[in-house]
Amino acid sequence: MDFLVLGPVEVRESGVPVRLRGMRRRRLLALLLLNARYAVSMDALVDELWQDPPASARHQVHNAIRDLRAALAGSEGAGLITVDVGYRLDVAADAVDAHRFTDGVRAARAARREGRDAEATRLLQAAVDLWRGDAFAGIDCPAVTAVAAGLDEQRLTAIEELMDLRLASGETGSLVAELFALAARHPLRDALRGSLMLALYRSGRQADALAVYDEGRRLLADELGLEPGPRLRRLHAEILADAPRLQLQAPAAGRPATLRPTTVHPATGHPATGRPATVRPGQENYLPRDLPDFTGRATELALLERAVDGQSAGSPRTVVIDGMGGIGKTALAVHFAHRRTTGHPDGQFYVDLHGFSPARAPLTPEEALGVLLRSDGAAPDGLPDGLAERSAIWRSRLAGRRALLVLDNAADAAQVDPLLPGTGDTLALITVRRKLTATDGALSLPLGALAPAEAEALFRRIAGDACAGSSLDRTVALCGHHPLALRIAATRLRDRPSWTVPDVTARLGTSAGRTAFLRTADRDLMSVLALSYGQLSDEAKEFTRTLALLPAAVHDIAQACAATGLAPSAVECLFDTLLDHNLADEPSPAHLAIPPLLRDCAHTFPLPSPEAARLLTAAA
């Protein structure tokens, strides 16, 4: 028995359609297929089937289940089971055409990565041929609609890849009519428009290819106020110039024609001379540049390598790097991502979520998904507004791919969870200031200050000859071995030829001196740290500032109670808050230490309340 959802929902027994009476039974079957082999509660079925359920809703579901069970009776490999909470549809994965489609696409991409393009073409064509219309056509349940949107997007991506493969194999004129129809149905898909332009150009129709580009450019400008993407603009320029890259090589005996290889300049993206390089769809790299003076973190990098390689191959892997502001989370994530690009050739993506940014609010998950989907080539006009629908499309696009994702500067787990892949051999690196305990299944890497030797090496690498022959132990210690503080201090020394290391050390010797010195025209350490304080409640801010003004470096619960006048239970709760926000360290259980630079930052906040000031004076 086959269950078909890539078009109108159908059930076929040995190729013969099984009659399903009424739309409600089809919708019920669709809901059960979405959760095949898992129980679906009666409440969930009622909520999906009716906006305003009638009193007889549960009775109607029972009747529909009875009819479905009768329709499936006698079939092999399928059964509708009653469980405690509701119902479960037991079917083999390959009995559902959607599963056969995703498996075929995954196998095709694997074959393409290994250079077996003919097999990849055959597998993709077979997967695309499974479709009979829009996924779950006519089924309007919210849960089904979200999944259908993801499947439809995955179908279009597969078609784009298939067109690319067929063009690379030497097909030209035979594709033109097919591509014209596809571009007409999906006028804002750059990949389809580009394939049509290339097919026309190779058919000797250069003017028509350029006209297709102009039509798409006008459409984008009129409807969205946008220009075509960089790949389409580059193709347009190459068609104008009759670029050799666009021509086909004469096929060798027994082999299909292939594109002449060319080198793509890494900065401009235009063809250049030298070593050949092949760029395929989905291989775009959106990672920021790796810092040329990245220094240290050998222990953390080794931990990341072991943690990532130790997880199950073929399944999504997520690592959360948390730490205080300026501690180097982004630098480490980007550096590690660049080291892992060869293992994730199907695209490397980066998005700044602005969880802690001074000039703007954090991205909503919908906005972040829009950035990621557009980076992966999705047409802006084809993106739904809803979070569930966008998340489903994003996960469907990553299914079966070996992609890498850097989610930088996250606010909380609710912001990142909809962005995480559901399947595929993907790696997601998340940087965040406070611990994300709600991101289930993720590996956690707390990031602290640099080791003293690493801090000195970073300072010397930035300052250069300005610190040659000088001892830096005291200087880097006053910077708290903090990467951003070290960068600012070393840069200021390098840019002041008359200064020496002792001059810098003297300026760093007091709290007020550090606050003033660790600030440049475009970087201010205290402002970076203050963003985390801004996320605290008023009570936590006052508690933090009160402890920061005390002379002791480490506080136990009794000392904190005496200084603040709070009860032990409240102090314990505030201890946890500061640790979760990475605004304090815990040198031993129930003991709290606020790092010196954070104590400096706390001094810049308003004075505590009169009562806290009185207690503070008494404690001192």
Side-chain angles (χ1 to χ4, degrees):
M1 181 168 281
D2 291 322
F3 295 85
L4 310 181
V5 299
L6 302 180
V9 174
E10 293 184 17
V11 181
R12 294 179 183 174
E13 178 71 58
S14 301
V16 179
V18 174
R19 186 184 179 197
L20 297 175
R21 295 186 299 109
M23 179 53 69
R24 181 165 296 125
R25 287 160 185 78
R26 294 180 184 277
R27 295 168 68 193
L28 180 61
L29 176 60
L31 290 167
L32 293 170
L33 283 170
L34 287 186
N35 301 276
R37 300 182 300 282
Y38 292 94
V40 186
S41 70
M42 173 64 79
D43 289 341
L45 293 174
V46 169
D47 288 343
E48 288 290 336
L49 292 171
W50 288 276
Q51 284 188 329
D52 185 15
S56 62
R58 299 173 75 90
H59 180 69
Q60 292 187 53
V61 171
H62 283 305
N63 290 341
I65 288 288
R66 180 197 61 209
D67 293 343
L68 275 180
R69 187 173 281 136
L72 302 178
S75 66
E76 295 184 4
L80 186 49
I81 312 299
T82 301
V83 295
D84 291 342
V85 296
Y87 302 96
R88 183 182 76 240
L89 181 61
D90 286 340
V91 295
D94 61 0
V96 183
D97 58 353
H99 289 291
R100 295 199 298 274
F101 168 73
T102 55
D103 287 347
V105 171
R106 188 179 299 114
R109 287 172 177 156
R112 192 176 187 185
R113 284 194 297 267
E114 295 166 6
R116 295 179 282 116
D117 284 4
E119 182 180 355
T121 302
R122 178 183 59 78
L123 290 168
L124 268 179
Q125 188 66 65
V128 169
D129 287 345
L130 292 171
W131 287 76
R132 299 166 293 111
D134 294 336
F136 292 97
I139 306 295
D140 59 357
C141 302
V144 175
T145 301
V147 173
L151 283 169
D152 287 334
E153 176 63 28
Q154 194 171 350
R155 174 197 189 186
L156 276 174
T157 302
I159 290 172
E160 290 168 349
E161 294 175 15
L162 178 60
M163 295 299 108
D164 183 66
L165 279 166
R166 291 172 64 183
L167 279 167
S169 72
E171 288 191 63
T172 53
S174 59
L175 278 179
V176 168
E178 193 172 344
L179 283 166
F180 260 123
L182 286 168
R185 287 198 298 271
H186 310 285
L188 300 181
R189 303 283 296 201
D190 274 6
L192 291 175
R193 189 167 295 275
S195 292
L196 175 56
M197 289 166 59
L198 190 55
L200 287 166
Y201 174 76
R202 290 188 184 155
S203 301
R205 299 168 63 180
Q206 183 185 36
D208 288 339
L210 296 174
V212 166
Y213 175 84
D214 289 338
E215 178 192 40
R217 182 178 57 78
R218 285 195 300 270
L219 186 65
L220 278 172
D222 292 345
E223 294 199 8
L224 301 172
L226 297 175
E227 285 293 310
R231 289 172 59 196
L232 200 62
R233 295 199 304 270
R234 184 164 61 247
L235 176 61
H236 175 252
E238 290 172 341
I239 289 174
L240 277 171
D242 276 329
R245 185 185 80 87
L246 303 184
Q247 306 298 330
L248 286 169
Q249 289 180 332
R255 298 190 62 183
T258 58
L259 287 174
R260 290 178 182 171
T262 187
T263 299
V264 177
H265 191 281
T268 65
H270 293 297
T273 59
R275 180 174 58 86
T278 302
V279 180
R280 287 177 174 171
Q283 290 180 319
E284 296 87 348
N285 188 325
Y286 293 95
L287 296 177
R289 73 183 183 109
D290 192 7
L291 289 179
D293 56 6
F294 184 89
T295 303
R297 300 298 191 194
T299 300
E300 290 84 355
L301 287 167
L303 287 171
L304 282 170
E305 294 282 2
R306 288 199 298 271
V308 171
D309 291 338
Q311 290 183 281
S312 300
S315 59
R317 289 158 288 175
T318 303
V319 179
V320 177
I321 303 173
D322 67 85
M324 64 189 289
I327 205 68
K329 303 178 295 295
T330 300
L332 177 62
V334 170
H335 182 74
F336 183 68
H338 278 283
R339 289 172 54 157
R340 304 290 297 201
T341 54
T342 56
H344 297 85
D346 298 331
Q348 296 94 40
F349 303 94
Y350 171 90
V351 60
D352 184 351
L353 297 172
H354 294 287
F356 293 82
S357 294
R360 61 156 300 159
L363 290 184
T364 65
E366 292 91 337
E367 291 172 330
L369 284 164
V371 172
L372 291 168
L373 286 165
R374 288 191 294 272
S375 297
D376 198 38
D381 72 315
L383 298 181
D385 294 329
L387 174 59
E389 290 84 354
R390 287 193 176 192
S391 184
I393 291 172
W394 172 239
R395 286 169 173 157
S396 72
R397 290 180 77 99
L398 291 186
R401 290 167 63 179
R402 291 188 293 166
L404 190 152
L405 177 63
V406 178
L407 303 175
D408 190 26
N409 194 14
D412 50 34
Q415 186 188 33
V416 300
D417 281 348
L419 318 182
L420 296 177
T423 61
D425 187 8
T426 54
L427 171 61
L429 303 173
I430 304 169
T431 71
V432 63
R433 291 200 182 190
R434 55 190 180 201
K435 301 184 185 303
L436 295 188
T437 55
T439 305
D440 295 333
L443 299 169
S444 176
L445 177 65
L447 196 63
L450 290 168
E454 293 179 337
E456 181 172 339
L458 177 61
F459 195 100
R460 291 189 184 279
R461 192 166 184 181
I462 296 170
D465 294 340
C467 62
S470 300
S471 172
L472 292 176
D473 291 351
R474 174 71 174 157
T475 310
V476 299
L478 288 171
C479 290
H481 303 130
H482 184 284
L484 180 55
L486 292 165
R487 285 188 175 276
I488 295 174
T491 300
R492 298 200 69 181
L493 173 61
R494 182 196 65 197
D495 294 344
R496 299 292 181 92
S498 62
W499 286 9
T500 64
V501 170
D503 293 324
V504 173
T505 306
R507 286 169 168 80
L508 293 169
T510 65
S511 176
R514 286 188 294 274
T515 300
F517 188 73
L518 297 176
R519 180 191 302 130
T520 65
D522 56 357
R523 283 181 171 181
D524 181 358
L525 177 64
M526 296 307 153
S527 294
V528 170
L529 299 178
L531 289 171
S532 293
Y533 277 106
Q535 300 290 321
L536 298 175
S537 65
D538 290 342
E539 181 185 30
K541 289 177 184 176
E542 184 165 291
F543 178 80
T544 305
R545 193 185 190 314
T546 300
L547 293 189
L549 292 173
L550 292 172
V554 180
H555 314 279
D556 62 20
I557 292 177
Q559 292 168 334
C561 290
T564 62
L566 297 172
S569 59
V571 166
E572 284 190 73
C573 182
L574 288 166
F575 271 23
D576 289 340
T577 297
L578 297 191
L579 292 171
D580 287 344
H581 282 73
N582 283 304
L583 291 172
D585 299 323
E586 191 175 26
S588 60
H591 286 72
L592 193 78
I594 300 177
L597 292 177
L598 286 168
R599 295 176 70 186
D600 294 341
C601 184
H603 282 67
T604 67
F605 279 80
L607 288 170
S609 66
E611 176 62 18
R614 184 186 65 77
L615 291 168
L616 178 63
T617 302

